[in-house]
Amino acid sequence: LTERDLLRILRKEGSEGLARKAGEAATRPLVTVPEDAHLHVAIARMRAKNIRHLVATGVDGTVAGVLSARDLL
């Protein structure tokens, strides 16, 4: 769930949107990058998808961390 997700819900539904569950409001599908990917790959994926946050996943698919545009740029 990102700031953009919250702003989108508030713009669309007003304060009633705050009663939603986080999973309902979050952008889907979740955009990921393998945790061993080079940073230029992560940056390219973020640019291609026009997003500011990217989930890094381990080989088993679990969340290893979250990268933000501020981390990378």
Side-chain angles (χ1 to χ4, degrees):
L1 182 65
T2 66
E3 180 182 7
R4 281 187 185 178
D5 293 330
L6 290 173
L7 292 173
R8 179 178 40 83
I9 292 296
L10 288 171
R11 199 171 32 248
K12 185 176 179 183
E13 300 178 19
S15 61
E16 288 108 29
L18 296 176
R20 283 176 166 252
K21 294 183 179 179
E24 295 173 354
T27 301
R28 305 276 181 175
L30 186 63
V31 180
T32 65
V33 66
E35 68 180 334
D36 62 351
H38 292 277
L39 292 179
H40 68 87
V41 172
I43 292 168
R45 184 157 302 162
M46 291 171 82
R47 284 186 176 166
K49 299 289 186 176
N50 193 32
I51 58 174
R52 295 182 289 191
H53 298 90
L54 188 65
V55 174
T57 56
V59 292
D60 60 355
T62 60
V63 174
V66 178
L67 296 167
S68 73
R70 288 185 183 187
D71 295 333
L72 299 172
L73 303 174

